[in-house]
Amino acid sequence: MKTLSLMGGLVIGAALLAGCQDNSQEVDKLRSDLVAQQNRFDEANNKWASDRDTMRAEIDDLKARLGALDAEGTPAKPVAEQIKDLEGRIAGVEEKPDLSAKVDALGKKIDGVRDEAVEAARAEAAKAGAGAIDKDALAEALAKQQAANAPTKDLAQAMDRLEISDAEKEQLKQYIIDAKTQILETLEVPTEDGRVFAEELIDGFIKVQNGEAKETDIHALFLELGSKKIPGDINGRSYMEAINDIKALNKEDISRMLSEKDQKKLTTAHPDWTDFDVEEGDPWGALYMERLQKQQAEKGNGG
C-alpha cells in the first residue's frame, strides 16, 4: 500500500536520504569534484605565480632604492628591513602548491567506477549469448546493473538481489515484521499523562496526507519521542532509545544470516533495515485503517 510505504518512513524514524546512487550518478559527482579540484589547482597556481612575481619586483625596487633619502636628508624608509620582510614572505610561497596529486586521484577513481560498471555490464551481456557485444547490448546490461543497485524500500525487490534461499527470505521478512511489531508495542505504551504516540503518529500522518497538518507537526512528535521516558521501562529509556535498540537488534539478527556482500546489497537498497515495506503482515496496517476510519467517522458526524 503506497500510503503505508510513506507512513512507515515517518513512524520508524526521521526520513533518511536515499544513499548509494547508481554508478552513473557517482561518476557524474566525481567528474564534478574533478573539475572543482582542477579549478582550485589553477587558481592556486596563478596566485602563487602572481604573488611570487609581485614580491620579487618589490625586492628589486627596494634594492635599487637603497641609500635613497627623503627631502630632509634621512632615509625614506628602513629599506633593508623591508627587503628582509619581503624575502621572508616570498619564502612562504616559493614552493609551488601541488594539487595535481588530488586531481590525479579523482581521475583514477572515476576510471575505477566506470571500469567496474562496464565489466559488470559485459558479464551480464555475456550471459545472454556468445560473440561480440554491441553498444546496445552493453548499454542494456549496464542499465540492468545500475537498476540492481537502485535504492528501494520494497522488501521483495531488495531480497531478490540477495543470494539466499526462499526459506532465508521468509526468515528475513519475519525478523522485520517482528521488529515493526515491537516498535508498535513500544509506542502503544501510554505516557504518564495518558497519551499514545502510536495513535498520534498515525493520526498526524493521515492529516498530513489530507493537507490538514504539516510535516513539522510530525517532526515535533519525533522530538517528544526522544525526550519522553517510557513509564515502567527497567532501563529508564525514552521511546526513541527503545526504538533504536529494537532496530539494532534486528540488524544483528539479519546480519548473522547474510554474507557481507548481501549485507551491503541490503544497505544499498535501504539503509534502515527495519523500515522496509512488507507486502503482507505489516503490523502497522491494521492501526492505520482503524485511525483512518475513526477520522472519517468524526468528519461524518461533524467532528
Side-chain angles (χ1 to χ4, degrees):
M1 180 184 296
K2 184 177 181 181
T3 54
L4 288 182
S5 172
L6 295 173
M7 178 273 293
L10 287 172
V11 173
I12 297 303
L16 294 171
L17 291 175
C20 308
Q21 300 297 317
D22 60 36
N23 287 315
S24 62
Q25 292 173 319
E26 186 174 356
V27 169
D28 289 343
K29 181 180 183 300
L30 289 170
R31 288 188 187 281
S32 176
D33 291 344
L34 178 60
V35 170
Q37 285 282 14
Q38 185 66 56
N39 289 339
R40 287 194 290 270
F41 175 84
D42 292 340
E43 290 175 4
N45 185 54
N46 292 338
K47 186 177 185 303
W48 165 79
S50 176
D51 288 348
R52 178 200 59 193
D53 293 343
T54 298
M55 285 187 280
R56 281 181 175 171
E58 289 183 41
I59 289 175
D60 291 341
D61 180 64
L62 288 171
K63 286 181 177 179
R65 289 168 51 203
L66 273 172
L69 303 177
D70 61 19
E72 298 178 358
T74 58
K77 282 186 178 181
V79 181
E81 292 183 15
Q82 291 187 50
I83 291 174
K84 183 177 179 181
D85 291 342
L86 277 170
E87 287 179 333
R89 286 167 54 199
I90 199 172
V93 297
E94 196 67 61
E95 184 177 351
K96 185 177 180 179
D98 185 14
L99 297 179
S100 58
K102 293 184 178 180
V103 174
D104 290 342
L106 276 172
K108 291 178 181 178
K109 189 172 183 181
I110 289 175
D111 291 339
V113 170
R114 183 177 59 247
D115 292 344
E116 180 182 351
V118 170
E119 286 306 314
R122 287 185 183 279
E124 286 294 326
K127 294 178 183 178
I133 302 174
D134 60 29
K135 291 182 179 179
D136 291 338
L138 185 59
E140 182 180 353
L142 181 57
K144 182 178 178 181
Q145 189 264 346
Q146 290 174 338
N149 290 323
T152 179
K153 286 183 65 179
D154 187 294
L155 180 60
Q157 290 181 8
M159 290 194 299
D160 283 342
R161 304 173 184 180
L162 310 181
E163 298 177 6
I164 57 177
S165 65
D166 290 342
E168 288 171 322
K169 289 180 180 180
E170 284 300 315
Q171 181 62 64
L172 192 156
K173 176 182 176 181
Q174 192 58 51
Y175 278 139
I176 292 176
I177 291 175
D178 290 344
K180 285 175 175 283
T181 301
Q182 292 170 29
I183 290 173
L184 175 58
E185 291 173 348
T186 298
L187 293 174
E188 286 180 326
V189 176
T191 63
E192 292 182 348
D193 53 357
R195 296 171 61 190
V196 179
F197 279 120
E199 294 179 354
E200 289 188 25
L201 284 167
I202 295 296
D203 289 346
F205 174 73
I206 293 173
K207 289 178 180 178
V208 169
Q209 282 185 310
N210 295 334
E212 300 169 357
K214 298 179 181 179
E215 289 189 9
T216 52
D217 298 327
I218 302 293
H219 297 163
L221 280 176
F222 279 113
L223 289 176
E224 290 192 81
L225 293 180
S227 60
K228 291 280 188 179
K229 298 293 184 179
I230 304 174
D233 184 72
I234 190 171
N235 296 314
R237 297 172 299 176
S238 68
Y239 286 88
M240 187 57 72
E241 287 172 336
I243 290 172
N244 288 336
D245 287 345
I246 293 169
K247 288 185 178 185
L249 182 59
N250 179 57
K251 192 160 191 174
E252 288 178 10
D253 290 337
I254 294 175
S255 295
R256 281 194 291 268
M257 63 181 294
L258 297 181
S259 65
E260 290 187 8
K261 182 179 179 181
D262 278 346
Q263 290 179 43
K264 183 178 179 181
K265 289 180 182 179
L266 198 60
T267 299
T268 298
H270 190 59
D272 187 347
W273 294 357
T274 311
D275 192 33
F276 277 107
D277 294 332
V278 181
E279 187 174 351
E280 295 179 0
D282 192 314
W284 286 91
L287 179 61
Y288 176 85
M289 294 306 300
E290 176 189 323
R291 302 306 296 181
L292 179 61
Q293 292 170 3
K294 183 176 184 296
Q295 287 192 30
Q296 291 173 340
E298 289 175 349
K299 289 180 181 178
N301 295 329

